[in-house]
Amino acid sequence: MFPVTGTTALLLAIVFGFAFGWLLHRGRVTNYDVIINQFRLRDFTVLKVMLTAIIVGGLGVMALVDLGAATYHVRDANMLAVVLGATIFGIGMVLYGYCPGTAIAAVATGNVHALVGACGMVFGAILYAFSFDWLLAAILPVWGLGKVTLTTLTGIPALLIFGGLIAGAILLFWSVERRAVAPQ
Amino acid sequence: MTVDINHGKNLKAVAHRVDWSPYLAGAGIGVLSWVVFAVVANPIGVTTAFSQLAAGAAVPIFGGEFVAQNTYWQRHPLRLDYGTLFLLGIFLGALASAVVSRTWRVEHVPSVWLERFGPSISKRYAAAFLGGVLAMYGARLAGGCTSGNGISQGLQLAVVGWTFLVVMFSSGLATAWLLFRTSAR
């Protein structure tokens, strides 16, 4: 029965995308000020949303995989490409004020500057396609680790890593919530 | 670090919307990840599909033949598939949420930008466009964006996802410091 394919999957794509867009808007990460103030360390909404999603999602997916109800979809760690790409991405995200997913959601909520940036994203995607042959030869193969996870790389069990993540997240959230209440 | 009281009040005014706790929204995205992993075996992601759509924009400019011969677009051709329809869903979901909560509004220059760089619309548009170019190029090079790499790979504890998260956040912090630091005003 699962995974669902064909026309049903295409209909579900709209349903799941709808849920994601709804959650991004309700979580306020379609708001330029919220995203920028995360990078200025004045508003921790983005980290709260992301870390909660990673922890809740990660534990559930791990359980589903253990039960045989899902499989992992780990991508190749092409380390030079991911380090270069993430550096460029960080600069772009702060200039733009959105990441690609929140950008689409922000356009839908009436942000015209997000639409202008989305045209920039189209241009960026075209540039990428143009440079792909060169990247494929010169950048993507450098320092390739394959489909590794933190567990396969370090030998630390996944549950222990999630335990550390939860402890770190609680400590971070507790300290920023306390700081947010104190000056009022 | 000094506390800018006026700024805090502005933020509070902005926050008077039909908002969910960020923890609730995050948990919702986590649960959505369970569903997509189990039901469609297709983790949440944005930029692969976005690049497919960009092929559609490239056709009228560079010609269909040129686009058809591009190695990248041969691997990820323009078509209505799960990924591209997921993007349509994101648009519709955010639109519905904004309309239902009566927070849909036209925004040209957001308030944090305005405080720092003034009311010029063209200045904001230029930064947004350049930022969009860099964000998409960087995401494709890294193998995914905040959603596909950060959340979907991160939750699988993939090395690619956590490297992306750490490097992206460091780069963003440095950029924000250069752009918005108080001594630069």
Side-chain angles (χ1 to χ4, degrees):
Chain A
M1 178 178 170
F2 292 134
V4 172
T5 51
T7 317
T8 321
L10 295 183
L11 288 173
L12 285 175
I14 299 175
V15 175
F16 296 154
F18 188 98
F20 190 52
W22 180 283
L23 288 164
L24 290 176
H25 181 251
R26 291 296 155 134
R28 297 208 300 137
V29 288
T30 56
N31 185 319
Y32 170 94
D33 294 343
V34 169
I35 294 184
I36 290 300
N37 278 334
Q38 173 65 73
F39 287 101
R40 300 167 81 201
L41 302 178
R42 294 180 181 209
D43 180 336
F44 282 78
T45 301
V46 173
L47 273 184
K48 288 175 195 170
V49 171
M50 288 191 70
L51 285 176
T52 310
I54 288 171
I55 291 167
V56 171
L59 288 172
V61 169
M62 187 167 64
L64 287 169
V65 171
D66 282 347
L67 293 168
T71 52
Y72 282 124
H73 300 269
V74 175
R75 286 188 181 159
D76 286 318
N78 303 315
M79 295 305 276
L80 179 63
V82 69
V83 168
L84 283 177
T87 305
I88 298 169
F89 184 89
I91 298 168
M93 184 169 173
V94 170
L95 273 174
Y96 187 8
Y98 302 100
C99 59
T102 56
I104 293 169
V107 171
T109 65
N111 292 348
V112 185
H113 60 113
L115 180 63
V116 175
C119 298
M121 293 204 298
V122 172
F123 191 73
I126 293 172
L127 280 183
Y128 185 78
F130 280 10
S131 54
F132 187 66
D133 282 328
W134 177 76
L135 293 166
L136 203 56
I139 304 291
L140 288 163
V142 180
W143 198 9
L145 301 180
K147 299 182 193 308
V148 283
T149 67
L150 296 174
T151 298
T152 54
L153 192 76
T154 63
I156 303 170
L159 263 180
L160 201 62
I161 296 177
F162 276 115
L165 266 181
I166 292 167
I170 288 175
L171 203 67
L172 174 73
F173 297 157
W174 174 75
S175 75
V176 297
E177 299 292 3
R178 205 180 59 145
R179 204 176 66 179
V181 172
Q184 300 296 318
Chain B
M1 196 174 145
T2 53
V3 177
D4 184 345
I5 292 162
N6 287 325
H7 189 75
K9 277 181 182 162
N10 287 343
L11 268 186
K12 211 175 172 187
V14 171
H16 274 294
R17 305 179 357 180
V18 193
D19 297 322
W20 292 3
S21 149
Y23 305 117
L24 180 62
I29 294 170
V31 172
L32 182 64
S33 289
W34 306 350
V35 177
V36 296
F37 266 82
V39 177
V40 285
N42 213 329
I44 294 170
V46 173
T47 56
T48 306
F50 199 93
S51 305
Q52 293 171 244
L53 296 179
V59 169
I61 308 170
F62 303 102
E65 188 69 11
F66 188 88
V67 170
Q69 279 170 5
N70 180 277
T71 319
Y72 185 79
W73 283 320
Q74 280 174 352
R75 291 187 186 192
H76 304 282
L78 172 65
R79 60 170 180 228
L80 277 188
D81 57 11
Y82 179 88
T84 47
L85 286 169
F86 187 81
L87 300 191
L88 174 66
I90 295 178
F91 185 91
L92 296 176
L95 176 65
S97 177
V99 169
V100 168
S101 61
R102 297 186 181 174
T103 53
W104 197 97
R105 67 192 168 89
V106 171
E107 178 184 274
H108 292 282
V109 183
S111 59
V112 168
W113 178 274
L114 188 118
E115 268 177 45
R116 172 68 182 84
F117 296 104
S120 162
I121 290 179
S122 53
K123 212 169 166 182
R124 172 61 201 137
Y125 279 9
F129 187 88
L130 178 64
V133 174
L134 294 175
M136 182 54 63
Y137 193 92
R140 284 291 79 226
L141 183 57
C145 60
T146 325
S147 311
N149 227 339
I151 293 178
S152 293
Q153 293 299 310
L155 71 84
Q156 301 178 82
L157 303 180
V159 170
V160 63
W162 283 96
T163 310
F164 177 84
L165 280 171
V166 171
V167 176
M168 173 274 273
F169 203 71
S170 310
S171 164
L173 281 177
T175 309
W177 182 77
L178 286 172
L179 282 180
F180 291 96
R181 75 202 143 114
T182 22
S183 59
R185 289 182 187 196

